[in-house]
Amino acid sequence: MSDESPILEFFDATAGEILDLPRDRTLFLFSIGPLEDHGRHLPLGTDILGARALALETARRLGVELPGWRAVLMPPLPGGIDSNTTRLALTVRPHVVRDWLVDHCLGLSRHGFRYFAIVSGNRGPKQLTAMEEAGRLLTLRAGFFKTPKPRLISLSSGGVSAKTVWLAPFWPNP
């Protein structure tokens, strides 16, 4: 591997740095989560901070396990759908999360980028459903003839039990 870091922060990058990345070996990592309280001892952004840490670890492992690949850490979205608190929570509607992801991925795919992944600090079924729906919509909106098609996957969905997924449509808001 060269001296070049396999991880690039989108905020810190220039347009030239992004556009010079290899299209077939670059993964854009999104972090998402609600702003909510978790007691007096934790910040309101705990879910986002956790998602960001997991995205960073994913980027580090990508650089080690797949030399030549680059990871771009995208700005986090304070956009949780579900909330697990009764005190203070700022949430958004599911289509906001879905459309934000689709729009950002489409913008990057217009420049030839194909690989996108998202990590959520909240693994509530509504949150995961919106993220997975974004992946399906991205493929459809990229265009029928566009090959290879861009792909967005949820790295958080694999950590949810089958029972939770099965109950997703009826998941109560605590």
Coordinates of all heavy atoms in Angstrom, one line a residue, residues 32-73:
I32 N -25.6 7.4 10.6 CA -26.9 8.0 10.8 C -27.4 7.6 12.2 O -27.0 6.5 12.7 CB -27.9 7.5 9.7 CG1 -29.2 8.2 9.9 CG2 -28.1 6.0 9.8 CD1 -30.2 8.0 8.7
G33 N -28.2 8.4 12.8 CA -28.8 8.1 14.1 C -29.6 9.3 14.6 O -29.5 10.4 14.2
P34 N -30.5 9.0 15.6 CA -31.3 10.1 16.1 C -30.5 10.9 17.1 O -29.5 10.4 17.7 CB -32.5 9.3 16.8 CG -31.9 8.0 17.2 CD -30.9 7.7 16.1
L35 N -31.0 12.1 17.4 CA -30.5 12.9 18.5 C -31.5 12.6 19.6 O -32.7 13.0 19.5 CB -30.5 14.4 18.1 CG -29.5 14.7 17.0 CD1 -29.7 16.2 16.6 CD2 -28.1 14.5 17.5
E36 N -31.0 12.0 20.7 CA -31.9 11.6 21.8 C -31.1 11.5 23.1 O -29.9 11.2 23.0 CB -32.7 10.4 21.5 CG -31.8 9.1 21.4 CD -32.6 7.9 21.0 OE1 -33.9 8.0 20.8 OE2 -32.0 6.8 21.0
D37 N -31.8 11.6 24.2 CA -31.1 11.5 25.5 C -31.0 10.0 25.8 O -31.8 9.2 25.5 CB -31.8 12.3 26.6 CG -33.0 11.6 27.1 OD1 -34.1 11.9 26.5 OD2 -33.0 10.9 28.1
H38 N -29.9 9.7 26.5 CA -29.7 8.3 27.0 C -29.3 8.4 28.5 O -28.4 7.7 29.0 CB -28.5 7.7 26.2 CG -28.8 7.4 24.8 ND1 -29.5 6.2 24.5 CD2 -28.6 8.1 23.7 CE1 -29.7 6.2 23.1 NE2 -29.1 7.3 22.6
G39 N -29.9 9.4 29.2 CA -29.6 9.6 30.6 C -28.7 10.8 30.7 O -28.3 11.4 29.7
R40 N -28.5 11.2 31.9 CA -27.7 12.4 32.2 C -26.2 12.3 31.8 O -25.6 13.3 31.7 CB -27.8 12.7 33.7 CG -29.2 13.1 34.2 CD -29.2 13.3 35.7 NE -30.4 13.9 36.1 CZ -30.6 15.2 36.2 NH1 -29.6 16.1 36.0 NH2 -31.7 15.7 36.6
H41 N -25.7 11.1 31.7 CA -24.3 10.9 31.6 C -23.8 10.8 30.1 O -22.6 10.8 29.9 CB -23.9 9.6 32.3 CG -24.5 8.4 31.8 ND1 -25.9 8.2 31.9 CD2 -24.0 7.3 31.2 CE1 -26.2 7.0 31.4 NE2 -25.1 6.5 30.9
L42 N -24.7 10.7 29.1 CA -24.3 10.6 27.7 C -24.8 11.7 26.9 O -25.9 12.3 27.1 CB -24.9 9.3 27.2 CG -24.3 8.0 27.8 CD1 -25.0 6.8 27.3 CD2 -22.8 7.9 27.5
P43 N -24.1 12.1 25.8 CA -24.5 13.1 25.0 C -25.7 12.8 24.1 O -25.9 11.6 23.9 CB -23.2 13.4 24.1 CG -22.5 12.1 24.1 CD -22.8 11.5 25.5
L44 N -26.4 13.8 23.6 CA -27.6 13.5 22.7 C -27.2 12.8 21.4 O -28.0 12.2 20.8 CB -28.3 14.8 22.4 CG -28.9 15.5 23.6 CD1 -29.4 16.9 23.3 CD2 -30.1 14.7 24.2
G45 N -26.0 13.0 21.0 CA -25.5 12.4 19.8 C -24.9 11.0 19.9 O -24.2 10.5 19.1
T46 N -25.2 10.3 21.0 CA -24.6 9.0 21.3 C -24.8 8.0 20.1 O -23.9 7.3 19.7 CB -25.2 8.4 22.6 OG1 -24.8 9.2 23.7 CG2 -24.7 7.0 22.8
D47 N -26.0 7.9 19.6 CA -26.3 7.0 18.5 C -25.4 7.3 17.3 O -24.9 6.4 16.6 CB -27.8 7.0 18.1 CG -28.6 6.3 19.2 OD1 -28.1 5.5 20.0 OD2 -29.8 6.7 19.3
I48 N -25.3 8.6 17.0 CA -24.5 9.0 15.8 C -23.0 8.8 16.0 O -22.3 8.3 15.2 CB -24.8 10.5 15.5 CG1 -26.2 10.7 15.1 CG2 -23.8 11.0 14.4 CD1 -26.6 12.2 15.0
L49 N -22.6 9.1 17.3 CA -21.2 8.8 17.6 C -20.8 7.3 17.5 O -19.8 6.9 17.0 CB -20.8 9.3 19.0 CG -20.9 10.8 19.2 CD1 -20.8 11.2 20.6 CD2 -19.8 11.5 18.3
G50 N -21.7 6.5 17.9 CA -21.5 5.0 17.8 C -21.5 4.6 16.3 O -20.7 3.8 15.9
A51 N -22.4 5.1 15.5 CA -22.4 4.8 14.1 C -21.2 5.2 13.4 O -20.6 4.5 12.6 CB -23.7 5.4 13.5
R52 N -20.7 6.4 13.8 CA -19.5 7.0 13.2 C -18.3 6.1 13.5 O -17.4 5.9 12.7 CB -19.4 8.4 13.7 CG -18.2 9.1 13.1 CD -18.5 9.7 11.8 NE -17.4 10.5 11.4 CZ -17.1 10.8 10.2 NH1 -17.9 10.4 9.2 NH2 -16.1 11.6 9.9
A53 N -18.2 5.7 14.8 CA -17.1 4.8 15.2 C -17.1 3.5 14.4 O -16.0 3.1 14.0 CB -17.2 4.6 16.7
L54 N -18.3 3.0 14.2 CA -18.3 1.7 13.5 C -18.0 1.9 12.0 O -17.3 1.1 11.4 CB -19.7 1.1 13.6 CG -19.9 -0.3 13.0 CD1 -18.9 -1.3 13.5 CD2 -21.3 -0.8 13.2
A55 N -18.4 3.1 11.4 CA -18.0 3.4 10.0 C -16.5 3.6 9.9 O -15.9 3.1 9.0 CB -18.8 4.6 9.6
L56 N -15.9 4.2 10.9 CA -14.5 4.4 10.9 C -13.7 3.1 11.0 O -12.8 2.8 10.3 CB -14.0 5.4 12.0 CG -12.6 5.7 12.1 CD1 -12.0 6.3 10.8 CD2 -12.3 6.6 13.3
E57 N -14.2 2.2 11.9 CA -13.6 0.9 12.0 C -13.7 0.1 10.7 O -12.8 -0.6 10.2 CB -14.2 0.1 13.2 CG -13.5 -1.2 13.4 CD -12.0 -1.2 13.6 OE1 -11.5 -0.2 14.1 OE2 -11.4 -2.3 13.3
T58 N -14.9 0.2 10.0 CA -15.1 -0.5 8.8 C -14.1 0.1 7.7 O -13.5 -0.7 7.0 CB -16.6 -0.2 8.3 OG1 -17.5 -0.8 9.3 CG2 -16.8 -0.9 6.9
A59 N -13.9 1.4 7.7 CA -13.0 2.0 6.8 C -11.5 1.5 7.0 O -10.8 1.2 6.1 CB -13.0 3.5 6.9
R60 N -11.2 1.4 8.3 CA -9.8 0.9 8.6 C -9.6 -0.5 8.2 O -8.6 -0.8 7.6 CB -9.6 1.0 10.2 CG -9.4 2.4 10.6 CD -9.0 2.4 12.1 NE -8.9 3.8 12.6 CZ -9.5 4.3 13.6 NH1 -10.2 3.5 14.4 NH2 -9.3 5.5 14.0
R61 N -10.6 -1.3 8.4 CA -10.5 -2.8 8.0 C -10.5 -2.9 6.5 O -9.8 -3.8 6.0 CB -11.6 -3.6 8.7 CG -11.4 -3.7 10.2 CD -12.2 -4.7 10.8 NE -12.0 -6.0 10.3 CZ -12.6 -7.1 10.7 NH1 -13.5 -7.0 11.7 NH2 -12.3 -8.3 10.2
L62 N -11.2 -2.1 5.8 CA -11.3 -2.1 4.4 C -9.8 -1.9 3.9 O -9.4 -2.6 3.0 CB -12.2 -1.1 3.8 CG -12.3 -1.0 2.3 CD1 -13.1 -2.1 1.8 CD2 -12.9 0.3 1.9
G63 N -9.2 -0.9 4.4 CA -7.8 -0.6 4.0 C -6.8 -1.7 4.3 O -5.9 -1.9 3.5
V64 N -7.0 -2.4 5.3 CA -6.1 -3.5 5.7 C -6.4 -4.8 4.9 O -5.5 -5.4 4.3 CB -6.2 -3.8 7.2 CG1 -5.5 -5.1 7.5 CG2 -5.7 -2.7 8.0
E65 N -7.7 -5.1 4.8 CA -8.1 -6.4 4.1 C -8.2 -6.3 2.6 O -8.1 -7.3 1.9 CB -9.4 -6.8 4.7 CG -9.3 -7.2 6.2 CD -10.6 -7.7 6.8 OE1 -11.5 -8.1 6.1 OE2 -10.7 -7.6 8.1
L66 N -8.4 -5.1 2.1 CA -8.5 -4.9 0.6 C -7.6 -3.8 0.2 O -8.0 -2.7 -0.1 CB -9.9 -4.6 0.2 CG -10.9 -5.8 0.4 CD1 -12.3 -5.3 0.1 CD2 -10.6 -7.0 -0.4
P67 N -6.2 -4.0 0.2 CA -5.3 -3.0 -0.2 C -5.7 -2.4 -1.6 O -6.1 -3.1 -2.5 CB -4.0 -3.7 -0.3 CG -4.1 -4.9 0.6 CD -5.6 -5.3 0.5
G68 N -5.6 -1.1 -1.7 CA -5.9 -0.4 -2.9 C -7.3 0.2 -2.9 O -7.6 1.0 -3.7
W69 N -8.1 -0.3 -1.9 CA -9.5 0.3 -1.8 C -9.4 1.6 -0.9 O -8.5 1.7 -0.1 CB -10.4 -0.7 -1.1 CG -11.0 -1.6 -2.1 CD1 -10.4 -2.7 -2.7 CD2 -12.4 -1.5 -2.5 NE1 -11.4 -3.3 -3.5 CE2 -12.5 -2.6 -3.5 CE3 -13.4 -0.7 -2.3 CZ2 -13.7 -2.9 -4.1 CZ3 -14.6 -0.9 -3.0 CH2 -14.8 -2.0 -3.9
R70 N -10.3 2.5 -1.2 CA -10.4 3.7 -0.4 C -11.7 3.8 0.2 O -12.7 3.3 -0.3 CB -10.2 5.0 -1.3 CG -8.8 5.0 -2.0 CD -7.7 5.3 -1.1 NE -7.7 6.5 -0.3 CZ -7.4 7.7 -0.7 NH1 -7.0 8.0 -1.9 NH2 -7.6 8.7 0.1
A71 N -11.8 4.4 1.4 CA -13.1 4.6 2.1 C -13.3 6.1 2.3 O -12.3 6.8 2.7 CB -13.1 3.9 3.4
V72 N -14.4 6.6 2.0 CA -14.8 8.0 2.2 C -15.8 8.1 3.3 O -16.9 7.5 3.1 CB -15.3 8.7 0.9 CG1 -15.6 10.2 1.2 CG2 -14.3 8.6 -0.2
L73 N -15.5 8.8 4.4 CA -16.4 8.9 5.5 C -17.3 10.2 5.2 O -16.8 11.3 5.2 CB -15.7 9.1 6.8 CG -15.0 7.8 7.3 CD1 -14.2 8.2 8.6 CD2 -15.9 6.7 7.6

